[in-house]
Amino acid sequence: MTGERQGTAVAGGLILVVEDSEEDTEAIERALSRSHPEVALEFASGTEGVLARLLDPAAPRPGLVLLDLNMPGRDGHSLLADIRARGELADVTVVVFTSSTAPAEVEACYAAGADSYVYKPVNFDLFRTVLKGAVDYWQQQGGH
Amino acid sequence: MDDRWAEDLHRLWQAADEAVDVMVLADDLYDVLLRLPGVRVVVGTRWDGASRGRYLRALTAGDAAPTLELLAHGPYDGTPRRPAASAEVREHAVAELRGSAWPEAGALGAAGVSQALTCTFRLGDGEWSALTLGTGDFPERKLLEARLRQVSEIVAACGRRIAERGLAERLRAADALLAEASLQMDASLDVEETVQRVARIAVPAVAVGCLVHLYRDRELQCVAAVHVAARSQRGTAELGRSDPWLARLIARAVRSPQGLRLNAGELGGGPFSAAGDAGEVGDVGDVGAVTVDALRARGRVLGTITFLYGRPEPRMPEALFLGDLAKRAALALDNAMLYEQRRQHVLSLQRHLLPAELPHVQGLDLGASYEVGDPMLDVGGDFYDVVPRDGGAALVIGDVCGRGAEAAALTGLARHTLRTLLEDGAPPGTALSRLNAALRRERTSRFVTGAIACLDPDGGEGMLLRTASAGHPPPLLLRADGAVEQVRAGGLLLGVVDEPRYTVAEDRLRPGDTAVFFTDGLTESRARDGSFFEGLLPGRLAGLRGLGAARVAEELAHQAVDFRASGADDIALLVARVRGADEGADRGAAEGTDGSGGGGEGCG
């Protein structure tokens, strides 16, 4: 299930991070709280419950979902397909954030409806730069 | 200065020293300002380097929590208010604050204040901020102005310190990008895949889009197009493939010793010239700047790498960084290209050391296979041949120790010496002895193993197999009933002593029996647990009973390759199966199951 780690509630400025790795979750929180302090973050440690969370009319709708691909149980690909199968979530930007650069993986994610496919680097400074670039881009597009 | 104010400032300075973002100071800061005489509301706004609003934060006296509003999607343009180098304080009537430069107007109006005192100041890295105090009047204007300025200076100093650290972080990120790009390039030796991987990691770390063009048949062709947005992926690819303006630009970059840098004002005539207009090339999103660097390695230009930067604040990296990235990418690409070229050379040379096709021999179904262990390791020394002789054939298999040009030369010598001797009718043992003498004359330092088997009709339905071996793995016989036997032939390696003796083993093959000759790459294929394929070979061979010679050769080679976890030795196999009378002894009937056909149907 999802859990909120940071409480700055901003309408329209919520990012839902779906990531099973504790280390990566912490790195994403550290990076985004510095580059985009105005954006609220919500975290889910797996894909389970995420679709229901997104469809919950009582909960604020994230403008952007940052999605790890390789997770135990139902993986990120399945969740991506689930999200894109729901027309009411069409305005939710899905950014796949993963450690693979294999062209076939990129193709598969685009075909499944990902809005962005972003490589997750090992180095934290680069990690932060990449995340900032992706969130800046979608903020400027008005996509979230 | 009263004590409380001094304490407040001290606390704010301390917090500013540790803050990772100026927003961390907000709670304390707003409380402090709201306690100033006459202040009924505090409104802060933050603006990016292009003076577009990021967010607004407001706290009204009596309210428990501040309100936060994102300005990123609004029409807010703070350009008229952008501060000069030092902080500026101005007084305004709230009623006069209108337009896209003043998102504060709403919060001030809602708080019912008529006057606003605003301090604008730079945060560093192009960003700036405004702190506004709202009041009905200003009973102590000078005091308020001084204190607003003091507090603003703390926030500005905090912002500048964070920006300086950010610059250091960006430099480290640039180094990390180069390192990760190198790693990615090492991950694949496939040229196009390497290019696509590099382009992928550069987006959005460097820019919103990346295109790589490489020379193919003397023309620049787009081999990678990546955009941060999936919806702009196709447009970016189209841009790279067919936009004439970009084609001219990259042609210019190829001739230019330095990379090209085009800002918004220099994009005229191109697909990005009109702001917000995707132009003729489809959706590539807003592009505010473009850079192109030539990919140069070992003195030649392989192609170009182009980056597209978004609007409204295209942040181009240092030219040095882009040049370095292009240099590293070019070197990796050149390596990948050289590898591919070398692989083709090795495969081609290898093919020339083996017969182009096996001959048709009456009464025999022949097959062969050759698995190159690792093309990067150079030409291997395994060889085989079939020499037709009166009514039968001589089969040759051998292995020159080592790889490379010398091994290839020796392989050619061995194969052709044996072929000449066998064509002249030399028996197997004599042929090996003569080759041994030739190798001794050449004073070769490499060992050579080999086996020669002559197959001749035995006067009945079967054939007589006479085998001589020089240190070569013993051939196996697969009987028609599935039994597997080893040919008992053995002798010294070639090229070691002057006059070795080679004994000849005789075996009788019945119709349906199969003789299998192979090199040690097959038997020495090793699994992760340390076991060798040799132990499994008789069982695996028995499982192939009834198959044609070509299938037996291919199956055994594939099984060994699947089995092995280590070792990249070449594997050569030569297989001869005695045909039954009902298969037809004429040449026409043999064509369907010969070595080049690969079929095994109709056997047994």
Side-chain angles (χ1 to χ4, degrees):
Chain A
M1 281 304 297
T2 63
E4 197 154 321
R5 292 255 191 112
Q6 187 176 318
T8 322
V10 187
L14 176 64
I15 294 179
L16 174 62
V17 181
V18 186
E19 171 64 74
D20 69 315
S21 151
E22 282 268 345
E23 222 173 60
D24 286 355
T25 301
E26 197 261 329
I28 291 168
E29 184 174 9
R30 247 191 324 146
L32 286 181
S33 61
R34 284 174 59 171
S35 65
H36 297 84
E38 72 276 23
V39 171
L41 300 175
E42 191 177 316
F43 293 86
S45 59
T47 53
E48 199 188 333
V50 170
L51 188 66
R53 155 69 187 87
L54 290 171
L55 292 168
D56 181 359
R61 171 77 58 84
L64 190 149
V65 173
L66 198 61
L67 178 62
D68 182 28
L69 280 187
N70 302 314
M71 282 178 286
R74 277 174 71 73
D75 64 7
H77 288 287
S78 310
L79 178 60
L80 175 59
D82 289 349
I83 293 173
R84 284 300 166 240
R86 306 300 291 247
E88 60 267 51
L89 298 179
D91 60 342
V92 174
T93 300
V94 180
V95 174
V96 169
F97 191 45
T98 182
S99 51
S100 165
T101 54
E105 184 96 292
V106 182
E107 289 297 318
C109 288
Y110 279 176
D115 293 293
S116 267
Y117 183 101
V118 175
Y119 168 63
K120 186 195 281 179
V122 181
N123 176 281
F124 183 67
D125 291 308
L126 185 57
F127 186 97
R128 182 163 39 209
T129 305
V130 164
L131 263 187
K132 180 180 184 309
V135 174
D136 275 352
Y137 179 83
W138 287 109
Q139 273 192 338
Q140 283 164 14
Q141 302 305 305
H144 95 122
Chain B
M1 191 185 287
D2 60 66
D3 288 348
R4 176 98 190 250
W5 180 249
E7 274 173 31
D8 286 342
L9 284 187
H10 182 66
R11 197 177 57 253
L12 281 171
W13 273 118
Q14 273 186 320
D17 196 39
E18 293 161 10
V20 291
D21 186 84
V22 292
M23 201 174 186
V24 173
L25 307 177
D27 281 341
D28 203 3
L29 188 80
Y30 280 50
D31 281 343
V32 166
L33 291 172
L34 210 50
R35 284 203 307 272
L36 293 175
V39 175
R40 296 207 333 240
V41 62
V42 179
V43 187
T45 48
R46 185 164 174 179
W47 307 78
D48 69 16
S51 291
R52 290 180 329 128
R54 280 186 65 179
Y55 60 86
L56 173 149
R57 194 178 195 276
L59 182 62
T60 305
D63 283 358
T67 57
L68 195 59
E69 185 190 342
L70 283 187
L71 305 177
H73 309 146
Y76 301 107
D77 177 5
T79 307
R81 299 172 61 191
R82 191 182 175 87
S86 54
E88 300 163 27
V89 179
R90 292 218 172 110
E91 191 178 341
H92 302 274
V94 172
E96 291 167 3
L97 301 179
R98 287 190 209 94
S100 64
W102 288 97
E104 293 96 332
L108 294 167
V113 295
S114 57
Q115 294 298 115
L117 197 62
T118 296
C119 183
T120 51
F121 50 91
R122 291 185 181 182
L123 284 175
D125 206 15
E127 279 201 310
W128 57 279
S129 200
L131 273 175
T132 302
L133 307 179
T135 181
D137 51 34
F138 291 108
E140 297 182 67
R141 189 188 180 285
K142 284 214 161 143
L143 176 82
L144 281 183
E145 183 177 333
R147 294 195 169 182
L148 178 59
R149 194 184 286 275
Q150 283 175 324
V151 167
S152 297
E153 277 167 2
I154 295 175
V155 182
C158 177
R160 280 196 302 273
R161 185 183 56 75
I162 291 167
E164 278 164 20
R165 203 170 53 193
L167 179 67
E169 283 164 1
R170 279 204 297 281
L171 290 175
R172 286 204 303 272
D175 281 345
L177 178 71
L178 292 172
E180 296 234 9
S182 300
L183 274 180
Q184 290 292 323
M185 291 179 239
D186 287 345
S188 170
L189 281 168
D190 178 279
V191 174
E192 294 205 0
E193 192 175 319
T194 300
V195 169
Q196 284 163 14
R197 283 173 184 269
V198 171
R200 178 57 57 187
I201 68 159
V203 171
V206 177
V208 298
C210 177
L211 292 152
V212 181
H213 289 76
L214 292 182
Y215 276 108
R216 293 283 154 93
D217 299 326
R218 298 184 174 199
E219 282 192 12
L220 282 164
Q221 282 180 17
C222 184
V223 293
V226 170
H227 197 283
V228 66
R231 64 171 181 234
S232 294
Q233 186 68 39
R234 183 176 294 175
T236 306
E238 264 179 53
L239 174 79
R241 209 169 33 236
S242 57
D243 184 67
W245 180 86
L246 187 74
R248 284 194 297 278
L249 187 67
I250 60 176
R252 187 149 67 87
V254 164
R255 296 189 301 272
S256 164
Q258 265 94 41
L260 304 179
R261 316 261 170 274
L262 275 71
N263 291 305
E266 300 164 290
L267 299 177
F272 323 113
S273 51
D277 178 7
E280 296 170 5
V281 291
D283 179 17
V284 287
D286 283 347
V287 173
V290 177
T291 60
V292 192
D293 284 85
L295 296 167
R296 280 193 182 82
R298 300 181 177 102
R300 65 194 181 105
V301 177
L302 309 176
T304 57
I305 185 162
T306 304
F307 286 109
L308 312 177
Y309 304 86
R311 282 176 195 273
E313 192 195 2
R315 177 180 282 164
M316 280 189 276
E318 296 289 316
L320 204 61
F321 164 77
L322 288 173
D324 202 4
L325 180 66
K327 207 181 297 169
R328 290 198 200 193
L331 206 55
L333 283 176
D334 202 40
N335 286 341
M337 286 172 174
L338 285 177
Y339 170 86
E340 180 57 27
Q341 203 176 45
R342 181 183 168 91
R343 198 175 73 87
Q344 289 303 330
H345 287 162
V346 167
L347 293 177
S348 155
L349 185 51
Q350 197 85 62
R351 277 196 296 274
H352 285 108
L353 292 173
L354 299 171
E357 61 177 5
L358 296 179
H360 296 287
V361 178
Q362 196 168 12
L364 284 180
D365 166 22
L366 296 167
S369 83
Y370 197 104
E371 286 288 330
V372 176
D374 180 351
M376 211 45 205
L377 286 178
D378 220 329
V379 187
D382 291 8
F383 63 97
Y384 60 80
D385 205 353
V386 176
V387 182
R389 309 216 294 186
D390 285 343
L395 277 58
V396 175
I397 191 155
D399 184 358
V400 175
C401 180
R403 311 182 74 95
E406 190 190 339
L410 211 51
T411 302
L413 171 78
R415 183 183 154 213
H416 292 289
T417 302
L418 289 176
R419 168 166 271 274
T420 308
L421 290 165
L422 292 167
E423 280 173 344
D424 286 350
T430 308
L432 285 176
S433 295
R434 296 278 297 276
L435 174 60
N436 184 73
L439 293 172
R440 295 291 290 167
R441 273 199 307 277
E442 293 292 320
R443 297 181 188 278
T444 171
S445 58
R446 289 176 189 266
F447 297 129
V448 180
T449 70
I452 296 173
C454 289
L455 269 163
D456 297 297
D458 65 355
E461 290 182 339
M463 296 190 104
L464 183 65
L465 178 77
R466 288 175 302 129
T467 311
S469 170
H472 200 79
L476 293 176
L477 302 179
L478 169 63
R479 299 295 184 183
D481 64 0
V484 174
E485 300 164 17
Q486 198 174 69
V487 172
R488 303 199 173 278
L492 262 183
L493 295 169
L494 295 160
V496 179
V497 297
D498 279 335
E499 291 180 358
R501 284 175 56 97
Y502 295 109
T503 55
V504 174
E506 287 194 0
D507 294 272
R508 201 163 292 277
L509 299 186
R510 307 283 306 153
D513 285 353
T514 304
V516 180
F517 302 81
F518 48 87
T519 53
D520 61 4
L522 182 78
T523 45
E524 289 177 7
S525 288
R526 199 166 190 184
R528 202 171 299 282
D529 65 2
S531 61
F532 289 96
F533 191 68
E534 185 171 20
L536 301 178
L537 182 55
R540 296 286 182 95
L541 180 57
L544 302 177
R545 173 192 167 206
L547 295 182
R551 280 286 301 283
V552 170
E554 283 163 15
E555 278 292 323
L556 284 179
H558 290 166
Q559 287 188 24
V561 169
D562 289 345
F563 172 82
R564 72 181 170 195
S566 65
D569 210 359
D570 290 3
I571 298 173
L573 276 144
L574 180 60
V575 179
R577 191 178 64 89
V578 178
R579 292 179 188 276
D582 55 339
E583 287 179 56
D586 64 305
R587 182 186 165 123
E591 280 179 348
T593 52
D594 68 6
S596 58
E601 296 86 354
C603 301

